[in-house]
Amino acid sequence: MEIADLKKQVDQYLQKHLGSDCDQSTLYESMYYSLMAGGKRLRPNLTLAVVHALGKDLDDDVMRAASAVELLHTYSLIHDDLPAMDNDDLRRFLPTNHRRFGAGMATLAGDGLLTLAFQWVSDNHLKETVRLQLVQLLAQAAGPAGMVAGQAMDIHYEGTGLSLNELKNLHAKKTGSLLRYSVMAGGVIAQAPADTLRVLASFGAHYGLAFQIYDDLMDVVSSEAKMGKAVNKDADEQKNTYPNLLGIDGTKQALAQAIAGAKADKQQLDNRGVGDFSLLDDFLAYFRY
């Protein structure tokens, strides 16, 4: 099993099933536009990788529950890009949703994807206790104590310098919470024991921090042609980022520390002997600059 195989399965599931749960043609077109715009599918891939590592089949019910997080992630991108938020014109090499469909329809497309995520994570044939736990964890990760809180902090503290610990907390909520959920969800679906879930949560937290630090770094050292979105906006808008706080070299050191934490967690998973987690090494290879 490779990450590319997981991505293909997620893409196929999203493309096949989105339309059956949307009753308005323009709304569906707007939701589909952003959902199928070429994302990496990192979050559902992490869920599926953990499920596979723990020896459970990737059947239709698992695919539905795992793909739900991509619906929610896409909603967050649509809303982040809106004029009232980051006011971006480009996402994944395409005009942002509100540039294509208008701010009103883009807002509704995000609303539709958000609510549909909870339908998919609960409307399947996994055990009732598994579905309930997934709903609770996803709501906590995405809601006002998780991702939304991080987005609110990002807006509230624009132009205000944060300490390193405060910046870590912002990133842990804005980006890390949903990645942490994605890793944990695989363990929940596979009904892993509590001690394994704790290590998976730690891996997800370290991975989520590394992902946001890397994104901050790429905003400075990469290009629009490579990223598929505007770069150098964080400094222009006085955002709190690792490069703005620590500089390029300090950011690279912080990234290395977060990756080292994730690798140590992965080693713990290997040592437990509960599954084959070698695919997580491929996810860690994402961080190249």
Side-chain angles (χ1 to χ4, degrees):
M1 181 72 69
E2 297 182 355
I3 294 176
D5 299 321
L6 300 178
K7 181 182 183 301
K8 182 178 180 180
Q9 291 183 62
V10 172
D11 282 339
Q12 290 174 342
Y13 192 90
L14 295 172
Q15 187 167 31
K16 180 179 179 181
H17 292 280
L18 179 66
S20 61
D21 290 312
C22 187
D23 290 338
Q24 205 281 332
S25 59
T26 306
L27 177 63
Y28 166 73
E29 186 181 353
S30 181
M31 292 166 65
Y32 185 94
Y33 175 81
S34 291
L35 187 63
M36 303 308 297
K40 295 181 290 291
R41 312 308 187 199
L42 175 63
R43 290 152 188 82
N45 286 351
L46 280 166
T47 301
L48 294 173
V50 173
V51 172
H52 178 72
L54 292 168
K56 184 174 177 62
D57 291 338
L58 306 183
D59 60 25
D60 198 64
D61 291 312
V62 172
M63 290 301 304
R64 187 171 182 83
S67 297
V69 72
E70 188 69 13
L71 302 177
L72 197 145
H73 172 59
T74 303
Y75 123 76
S76 74
L77 300 182
I78 294 173
H79 281 199
D80 272 351
D81 291 338
L82 286 170
M85 297 279 282
D86 288 345
N87 194 26
D88 278 318
D89 295 328
L90 194 66
R91 170 74 67 177
R92 294 171 178 169
F93 303 99
L94 295 171
T96 47
N97 197 291
H98 68 275
R99 292 299 181 195
R100 173 68 174 79
F101 295 93
M105 188 59 68
T107 302
L108 292 172
D111 293 343
L113 289 164
L114 167 61
T115 49
L116 186 58
F118 287 97
Q119 180 178 327
W120 280 16
V121 85
S122 59
D123 179 21
N124 54 66
H125 296 96
L126 298 175
K127 288 182 63 175
E128 183 178 349
T129 53
V130 169
R131 286 181 278 134
L132 178 59
Q133 191 172 4
L134 290 175
V135 168
Q136 290 175 329
L137 288 172
L138 184 56
Q140 290 165 358
M147 181 184 69
V148 173
Q151 291 169 318
M153 292 166 66
D154 196 30
I155 291 174
H156 181 74
Y157 290 113
E158 279 184 16
T160 302
L162 297 180
S163 69
L164 181 57
N165 284 336
E166 289 171 333
L167 183 59
K168 283 183 178 179
N169 184 42
L170 189 158
H171 282 353
K173 294 181 182 297
K174 181 182 176 183
T175 302
S177 61
L178 207 58
L179 284 163
R180 180 177 179 271
Y181 162 82
S182 299
V183 177
M184 283 189 70
V188 171
I189 291 170
Q191 300 180 65
D195 56 350
T196 298
L197 285 177
R198 283 193 291 271
V199 182
L200 288 170
S202 182
F203 177 90
H206 282 123
Y207 191 91
L209 177 60
F211 187 86
Q212 184 59 59
I213 296 173
Y214 184 76
D215 192 65
D216 285 356
L217 182 62
M218 289 299 100
D219 184 73
V220 177
V221 304
S222 191
S223 66
E224 184 175 300
K226 290 182 179 179
M227 297 292 286
K229 60 181 181 179
V231 295
N232 297 312
K233 286 195 66 181
D234 292 339
D236 294 341
E237 297 174 359
Q238 295 184 298
K239 294 275 190 178
N240 282 284
T241 68
Y242 270 74
N244 288 346
L245 181 63
L246 301 179
I248 299 298
D249 290 340
T251 299
K252 290 180 179 179
Q253 292 175 8
L255 176 59
Q257 290 173 356
I259 294 171
K263 287 182 176 179
D265 294 327
K266 193 262 181 183
Q267 187 61 55
Q268 283 195 55
L269 292 169
D270 290 338
N271 293 343
R272 290 176 180 275
V274 295
D276 178 8
F277 291 92
S278 57
L279 189 54
L280 294 183
D281 289 325
D282 293 341
F283 285 92
L284 289 168
Y286 168 80
F287 305 110
R288 296 174 181 170
Y289 51 88

